Amino acid sequence: MTGPIASSQSPISVRELTGRRLARFRSGDVLVLIAFLMLAAIVICALIPATLAPYPPNQQEITLRLLPPGWMSRGDSAHLLGTDQLGRDLLSRVIHGARISLIVGLSALAISGIIGVAIGLLAGYYRGWLDDWIMRLADVQLAIPYVLLAIAIIAVIGPSNVNVVLVLTVNGWVVYARLARGQALSLREREFIQAYRALGARDWRIVLQHILPNLLSAVIVVASLELAGIITLESSLSFLGLGIQPPTVSWGYMLADGRTYLLGGAWWVVTFPGLAITATILSINVLADWLRDVLDPRLKI
Amino acid sequence: MWRYIRRRLMLAVLTFWAVSTIVWGLLYLTGDPVAVLLAGTPAGQTDVEQLRHELGFDQPLPIQYVHFLGGAVHGDLGKSLRSGEPALQLVSRRVGFTVQLAILAMSLALLVSLPVGIVSATLRGSLTDRTLMLLTMVGQSMPIFWVGLLMIAVFAVELRWFPAGGAGGIKYLILPAATLALYPMARIARLVRSSLVDVLNQDYILAARARGLREALVVGKHALKNAALPVVTIVALQFGYMLGGAVITETIFGWPGIGLFTVTAIHERDFPVVQAAVVLASGMFIVLNFLVDLLYGWLDPRIRFS
Amino acid sequence: MREPPLLQVEDLRVEFPTPKGSVRAADGVSFRVWPGEIVGLVGESGCGKSVTTLALLRLVRLPGRISSGRILFKGSDVLMLPEPEMRLLRGGEMAMIFQNPMTALDPVFTVGDQIAEVFQAHPNLRTGDVRTAAAAILERVRIPNAKAQVNAYPHQFSGGMAQRVMIGMGVAGRPSLLIADEPTTALDVSVQAQILDLLRAIRTELHTAIIFITHDLAITAQLCDRIVVMYAGQVVESSSTRDLFHAPRHPYTRGLLDSMPRLGQKRARFAQIPGQPPDLGALPVGCRFAPRCPRAEARCRAEEPMLTPSGDAREVRCHFPLEAP
């Protein structure tokens, strides 16, 4: 809460959220621009990898194995980022790796978001035992450290690309459910909702038409903040061999694969995919923060 | 306050029971637990049936659950499929390593993040603040396995200051702890900053200044104690995740804690061990949360006296 | 008013940088307060009353700053004081209490602890054990069971009691000037009366002058000796309470009085001042009240009026002030 001073200040007109803010650029926004360009580049890699990559990602050339990056003395400019232990071009693999990370990440985000919001709305709107049980389930799930839970589930259902999305969804639904539930709880007591109910409006209509729209901007902010975590978890699982399976090219797996050669001095096999993951996560984080500032800085998420 | 403690305790016990049940239930996710246990190994039909009978999976489900609960109460969470030893004992032997790692990592994280957060908050808007926050943003974005590998590349391979893995004296602990510390360090620094900035905007801070208090006292006494509350929660959460196996870090550095043990068990399809590890880690996490609830109750008089 | 004023604010300007340029939340504010008198500082939200009083204690929130003016307190310019002396002044000779006691008291420390801080920060006040002194303060503001309540936390008090605690903190330093920023706004009407009583008692017992900030003119009639009316960062009228209510001279004051509901009033709708206060970042040329003033003429829109004396200890900022009835 701002103190007594704030109300008597109001030196400028009330800050209008989306429109005006988007138009005004400040120094912090340079970083946002960079993040946006970085993410755009990654998305382009995900969309047209075959066009951008100089080589097919799984093409092996044993004679050219473990070449350092192009600019170094023993390197070959034909392989700008070097090659891995099977002679596969690193740049091409990094470019191809973007696709699966983004697909898995966005799918998990969308599914966990939809399911989480739906569950939360049900819990908040109907309350009673449904609400109790759902919230207890959430609490219990959160009592299990999430990495362990993820790998335990994979251990049972087996590693596969689809199962990764499943596990990420299981990991992610709670935060949306809590958000939606909170919103449903606070709105259901409001008079306009009660008026609609008195008029005989159907429940699902009330939820969809009146409660959901109020939720949207918060959900978008939370989702953008969650995306980074999802990609991190996915690449961690892939690193452990429990995530994206070869022959699909994934950055996490590339790191696991190249690990042994690190000790022999081949640092590039591990550095570039790691850099790609970091760049992705960093740009998402920066954009998510910016999005939160634009949509509602008071959200306190 | 006592009502609060009792409620929290009951909640903790119930949660632990529920977690154990869920972990027990994991094996049944695909329908046939025996198929899961034997996946990948060639086994004739008779072997399958024999195993099913041996492990009690041919009994009705509720009976199986009762057996599980009965055993669990005595500390029996099944036996390792590989070595035959009791799973819980196997896992508990590794806990000490993980706890060491977690404590050192969290100490490191706090050592850096607290001053950074405080400095950033008090110098809010300055170049120092923005630079520090940018650095923490980067730190939060670097996946832990990459950080670990980079640490190895730089400090173990290039500079040869520390070993690249294994266990032994404290020098084996430094790189893993530093790796594990990075994310919490960044996260906590940001949180300290935002919490402190929020607090510094409060009326009671203005009122404290209006009483004539020195700025150092205003920040050091009033601001910090109020800002501490949300920070404590997150610190505990992060510590709990560390205890939850520090899976990746231990894997990279070959640190023999429960995280590495669990991953190995998964690759060897030794499920009782996996289950025991998850239950143990969750148990520690639940205890930790309970202690934090107590601490919070003590720190915040609004909870203590209500 | 033969003695010199306790407080003399001269041409105070407080500015805030904004993307659109510098905004003056207080623009040439001048007024005086005599020892032991209760002055009401009245105006709408955003008129600059809070900023002005924060400036008196040099507690204007960054990035705002005091850009010019003088604040003479007991003869010396507050704005020239070195910080350590300023700190002694705060909570000592000049104290401030705030609108919402629930947010102005630190929730994680006992009220006794916070009152004791005043004594710890002002060594000249220390007479023995600070806890006993704190309990004495609570007694003074009529908190029942003061000795036990010293160890209570703010959330354990009701709104009215908490406000008394805050007033206690304010007077612990035996101030010559107490600034009360809307202390009754967050309280029930019945509790309001008690707080006003308390403030009157403080004035009588300690000879403390009080600046009472409010947006509610009606309360000032009960409490204040004089009233200073502010609008859009400036003082537009100042006079004794009696004179202000009987014969306001500034059209804005007239508007405020007209919009006060009164017992026995027959009108169905309340009179309002049409329009809104101006955007301080885009002030009109000439008189700031002209756009809403029923008496505005061409001169008002071209030339800004100055604050001029107008009769016995009165000042008005208007080209065409209202005549006495």
Side-chain angles (χ1 to χ4, degrees), chain C residues 233-299:
Chain C
Q234 294 176 322
V235 173
V236 295
E237 180 160 8
S238 86
S239 109
S240 72
T241 308
R242 185 192 176 82
D243 286 342
L244 195 97
F245 274 81
H246 278 156
R249 309 223 63 203
H250 197 282
Y252 177 60
T253 316
R254 171 90 263 165
L256 284 180
L257 284 167
D258 284 345
S259 56
M260 267 171 51
R262 278 172 227 247
L263 218 53
Q265 192 173 340
K266 286 202 275 293
R267 271 172 296 175
R269 306 189 72 205
F270 295 125
Q272 283 177 23
I273 308 177
Q276 298 274 359
D279 177 353
L280 290 176
L283 288 166
V285 176
C287 173
R288 293 180 189 185
F289 185 63
R292 304 167 77 187
C293 182
R295 297 162 55 84
E297 306 199 7
R299 186 181 174 204

Side-chain angles (χ1 to χ4, degrees), chain A residues 132-145:
Chain A
D132 282 341
W133 282 100
I134 289 178
M135 283 302 111
R136 279 179 206 159
L137 177 65
D139 284 336
V140 167
Q141 183 183 322
L142 289 180
I144 307 177

Side-chain angles (χ1 to χ4, degrees), chain B residues 203-204 211 221-222 226 305, chain C residues 91 103 106 113 117 122 155:
Chain B
D203 286 349
Y204 53 82
R211 289 203 281 282
K221 179 180 171 186
H222 290 278
N226 277 281
F305 303 101
Chain C
T103 59
D106 188 330
D113 199 328
E117 281 176 346
H122 299 89
H155 72 274

Side-chain angles (χ1 to χ4, degrees), chain A residues 145-146, chain B residues 101-103 105-106 109-110 113 140 144 180-189 191 230-246 285 288-289 292:
Chain A
Y146 67 97
Chain B
L101 181 60
I103 290 181
M106 187 48 93
L110 288 176
S113 63
Q140 253 190 284
I144 193 172
L180 194 54
L182 185 65
Y183 181 85
M185 194 188 290
R187 179 92 196 273
I188 294 171
L191 182 66
V231 172
V232 161
T233 317
I234 298 293
V235 168
L237 202 70
Q238 291 292 322
F239 189 66
Y241 289 148
M242 286 181 184
L243 286 182
F285 193 46
L288 183 69
N289 276 328
V292 170

Side-chain angles (χ1 to χ4, degrees), chain B residues 89-126:
Chain B
Q89 265 77 304
L90 277 176
V91 175
S92 351
R93 253 183 262 154
R94 267 56 172 208
V95 170
F97 287 97
T98 302
V99 172
Q100 274 178 38
L101 181 60
I103 290 181
L104 185 58
M106 187 48 93
S107 311
L108 217 60
L110 288 176
L111 200 65
V112 173
S113 63
L114 292 181
V116 165
I118 294 175
V119 164
S120 253
T122 45
L123 294 180
R124 180 172 161 215
S126 67

Side-chain angles (χ1 to χ4, degrees), chain C residues 156-184:
Chain C
Q156 293 172 293
F157 290 88
S158 69
M161 284 291 147
Q163 189 59 278
R164 288 173 183 275
V165 169
M166 194 147 71
I167 292 175
M169 272 200 305
V171 299
R174 316 207 67 129
S176 309
L177 177 65
L178 179 68
I179 304 168
D181 192 344
E182 306 211 45
T184 54

